[in-house]
Amino acid sequence: MASLASPPACGRGVVVAALALALAAPAHADTLVDNVNGITLDKDGKLVRFTGLVIDTQGKVKTLLDRKDKRPERPDFKQDGQGKTLIPGLIDAHGHVIGMGFQLMLLDLSDTNSLAEAQAAIRKYAADNPEMPWIIGSGWNQEKWGLGRFPTAADLDAAVPNRPVWLARVDGHAGWANSAAMASAKVTAASKSPEGGRIEMTGGKPSGVFVDAAMSLIDGAKPKPLARDIDRALYLAQQKLLEQGITAIADMGTTIEEWQSYRRAGDKKQLAVRILSYGGDIDNMAIIAGSEPTPWLYDDHLRMVGVKLYLDGALGSRGAWLKAQYSDAAGQKGLPLLTPAQLRNKMVRASMDKFQVAIHAIGDAANAEALDAITDLNADLPGDRRWRIEHAQIIDPVDIPRFASMKVIASMQPVHQTSDRLMAEARLGPDRLKGAYAWRSLEKAGVRLAFGSDTPVESANPFPGLAAAISRTDAKGEPFGGWRPEEVVSRETALDGFTRAAAFAGFAEDRIGTLMPGMRADFLIVDADPMLASPDEIRKMTPLETWIGGYRYYKKSEGATVGR
């Protein structure tokens, strides 16, 4: 990839402020944010309302004030909330920060609705960026296009025949290459699918689509991004997260290069959003953190807490590992990416050094295998493990009680249900949907739900996720009454999933996730009350202000300040 210049103003309505103030600088002494419709959950998940918030010199909540409570007489700084709603900062329990930033920088096909639209976008991007040796991007979705098949290299060659093109599917579990990219990677008809991956074939030749581990065949040939490219991606991702009301995010699959970017940002006082990092497999975990999770760095803005392991692929690329064959692809059950021995060895390796383990499992076979491994190891690895299963999208109902018995956290993304429902019906058939996106069933069984977005697979905007969790409907309000409406959760549970439970899922509940006294003053001022607004109104909600550690990093009329 050609080197990209230092961060410009973000072109999506965010005005970039100068990166000047130091994160180490204290917040205003006894800051008072008053005249608000304040909402938070307490340590037990009960809803608490207040009208004023006092912040101490360390950027922590000092006091919650009711209407009758006496206000500080001479606060150093006072803001009139004008009756607007104030809620805790929202936490994305599962995202990919640098991937999100690169989506803002590179070719993004997520808004395309047909192959022809995608080809036009690719052709234009190539013409607008003649200096780029490879055209790199993401976001394609053959299901959304109604294509009825995977796209092919020939489809890409029709748009850009003379430069390598490599585009990740929207879920990141398949890639689409043109003929020039396959030639650069020396992929031929004789190339073999690696373990845990699949080269899609047409007429005895690679078709241009590479699933899961097979993506490495092309990834190894493309130019690697420079450090300044990764730094720019982080900058743009933070701007967007602040604009969308995300004050903390669990970064799932951090590489050493990404961690170094986070450290450079922290050293320069440019790390605004709190990042809970999970190393991308054991190698990254070990080289980043060493023999144990890192301490909190940069005034509680960065910590490596655990490791992310991939057990299967995604439903859209038919890489999710199922117990029975796909209803729309006879003979295919998906791809386990680790053997039982490999999974357990990695879990033991991480757990012995007190790293938390987060296992990506989408299909019902993958979820069952993850639970089997946790069952096998739990007795020999005592302590507060907080095992996490990421996505937990398709679960055999008989396995749901096992989540509770092993105290496994279900880290789920409500927006996936609205995006995937038609595809899930096709992939699984009507008889296997009972355990699909089963939030309420898990909650009733006693499972802790942590909610996120999986950005950049989906937008990081948490408000459509909150709306989906309480309605099981999409942006059009479809289907009427909700898809499998028995799986909706309450408004309190939805808010909890994006705040208190998301913090708990990352061992951060002692400092973020609620606005009770002593907690970090991370909060949003928003334009509606999520406890009263309709799902459609919640979906359209936008932060008016985003505060982290008692400092306002974003105001809608002014834009985002990434540094202090």
Side-chain angles (χ1 to χ4, degrees):
M1 177 185 347
S3 175
L4 298 164
S6 57
C10 181
R12 301 197 179 194
V14 180
V15 179
V16 181
L19 305 180
L21 301 175
L23 280 171
H28 297 291
D30 277 351
T31 294
L32 172 63
V33 181
D34 205 3
N35 187 22
V36 295
N37 172 36
I39 296 170
T40 189
L41 299 171
D42 66 14
K43 63 182 179 64
D44 299 317
K46 302 296 184 184
L47 192 68
V48 175
R49 289 189 177 270
F50 55 92
T51 61
L53 178 76
V54 180
I55 304 166
D56 69 17
T57 59
Q58 301 303 311
K60 296 180 180 180
V61 177
K62 185 175 182 179
T63 313
L64 296 180
L65 300 171
D66 202 352
R67 210 170 288 278
K68 298 178 182 179
D69 292 332
K70 184 178 180 180
R71 270 52 183 165
E73 291 185 4
R74 294 183 179 180
D76 189 68
F77 177 80
K78 179 180 178 180
Q79 175 165 320
D80 184 347
Q82 300 178 335
K84 299 293 186 183
T85 298
L86 187 155
I87 64 174
L90 298 178
I91 303 170
D92 192 320
H94 183 117
H96 307 275
V97 176
I98 300 301
M100 177 186 178
F102 274 119
Q103 186 182 66
L104 294 170
M105 291 164 57
L106 302 176
L107 175 60
D108 178 11
L109 298 176
S110 59
D111 289 334
T112 59
N113 295 301
S114 68
L115 175 61
E117 275 189 28
Q119 288 170 319
I122 295 162
R123 194 176 293 114
K124 182 179 186 303
Y125 186 87
D128 291 345
N129 296 276
E131 78 289 352
M132 287 189 170
W134 281 53
I135 304 303
I136 297 172
S138 63
W140 60 271
N141 185 349
Q142 83 282 2
E143 298 292 328
K144 184 179 179 182
W145 296 344
L147 197 58
R149 61 173 175 85
F150 277 131
T152 66
D155 294 327
L156 267 185
D157 293 344
V160 181
N162 54 358
R163 269 190 286 172
V165 182
W166 178 232
L167 306 168
R169 193 180 183 278
V170 64
D171 54 24
H173 285 272
W176 177 23
N178 69 350
S179 296
M182 290 193 290
S184 293
K186 296 181 172 55
V187 171
T188 68
S191 298
K192 302 295 184 184
S193 295
E195 184 178 352
R198 183 175 71 247
I199 302 173
E200 291 288 325
M201 305 293 287
T202 301
K205 296 180 180 180
S207 72
V209 168
F210 299 78
V211 178
D212 287 313
M215 295 173 69
S216 63
L217 299 175
I218 307 294
D219 278 331
K222 73 178 183 183
K224 294 188 181 299
L226 302 177
R228 63 174 173 264
D229 299 328
I230 301 173
D231 290 350
R232 182 174 186 241
L234 173 59
Y235 185 94
L236 294 178
Q238 286 196 89
Q239 293 237 348
K240 196 66 176 175
L241 291 168
L242 291 168
E243 178 188 350
Q244 294 175 324
I246 297 295
T247 57
I249 184 168
D251 186 51
M252 286 291 166
T254 309
T255 66
I256 180 60
E257 293 84 5
E258 292 166 351
W259 179 263
Q260 288 170 330
S261 182
Y262 301 155
R263 293 298 303 262
R264 285 192 293 272
D267 291 344
K268 295 175 183 176
K269 319 302 181 188
Q270 294 173 9
L271 196 58
V273 176
R274 303 189 195 278
I275 298 176
L276 288 159
S277 173
Y278 290 76
D281 217 306
I282 296 297
D283 289 347
N284 281 297
M285 177 199 82
I287 198 170
I288 290 168
S291 60
E292 62 182 2
T294 70
W296 283 97
L297 305 170
Y298 309 115
D299 202 24
D300 291 351
H301 278 75
L302 179 65
R303 185 187 184 216
M304 173 159 281
V305 64
V307 64
K308 164 80 175 296
L309 305 176
Y310 280 97
L311 188 49
D312 70 343
L315 206 59
S317 54
R318 297 190 185 89
W321 183 22
L322 301 180
K323 291 184 176 183
Q325 67 183 9
Y326 280 85
S327 292
D328 59 355
Q332 292 190 31
K333 291 186 177 181
L335 300 164
L337 302 182
L338 296 170
T339 67
Q342 288 171 332
L343 174 63
R344 287 158 177 76
N345 287 341
K346 289 174 183 287
M347 292 170 66
V348 170
R349 167 69 178 81
S351 297
M352 292 294 286
D353 286 339
K354 298 183 174 57
F355 289 96
Q356 186 186 18
V357 175
I359 304 171
H360 167 115
I362 289 182
D364 53 7
N367 277 280
E369 173 60 19
L371 292 167
D372 286 346
I374 291 168
T375 301
D376 290 345
L377 301 179
N378 210 47
D380 295 327
L381 294 169
D384 190 4
R385 291 286 150 209
R386 296 194 197 177
W387 306 104
R388 297 177 55 142
I389 292 183
E390 305 302 310
H391 309 303
Q393 284 180 211
I394 313 300
I395 307 170
D396 186 330
V398 302
D399 288 325
I400 287 177
R402 301 173 66 200
F403 274 80
S405 64
M406 293 290 106
K407 297 183 179 179
V408 176
I409 296 164
S411 172
M412 306 178 79
Q413 299 75 45
V415 284
H416 280 339
Q417 180 267 305
T418 58
S419 298
D420 294 356
R421 68 177 176 86
L422 295 178
M423 178 185 65
E425 290 172 352
R427 296 285 190 269
L428 300 172
D431 298 333
R432 286 190 286 166
L433 294 175
K434 188 173 178 58
Y437 314 88
W439 314 320
R440 179 63 178 147
S441 293
L442 285 161
E443 183 188 29
K444 284 174 64 177
V447 180
R448 199 75 177 264
L449 301 177
F451 286 153
S453 69
D454 200 15
T455 183
V457 175
E458 305 274 4
S459 166
N461 185 350
F463 296 102
L466 283 165
I470 66 171
S471 71
R472 307 278 286 193
T473 58
D474 62 17
K476 298 178 182 178
E478 297 177 351
F480 180 76
W483 186 75
R484 300 189 59 81
E486 66 273 15
E487 293 295 348
V488 299
V489 295
S490 69
R491 291 167 187 263
E492 288 82 0
T493 295
L495 182 61
D496 186 73
F498 280 103
T499 56
R500 194 179 67 106
F504 178 86
F507 284 93
E509 76 278 8
D510 60 337
R511 59 202 69 206
I512 60 174
T514 80
L515 291 173
M516 300 307 291
M519 304 295 281
R520 290 289 183 181
D522 299 354
F523 60 88
L524 313 178
I525 296 177
V526 294
D527 52 6
D529 185 334
M531 295 295 110
L532 302 174
S534 70
D536 189 54
E537 289 170 332
I538 293 173
R539 194 175 286 112
K540 295 174 182 175
M541 282 173 64
T542 57
L544 304 175
E545 298 182 13
T546 301
W547 293 59
I548 300 176
Y551 182 84
R552 186 174 63 206
Y553 280 88
Y554 170 79
K555 187 173 183 178
K556 191 172 183 180
S557 61
E558 299 173 3
T561 306
V562 171
R564 284 188 59 190

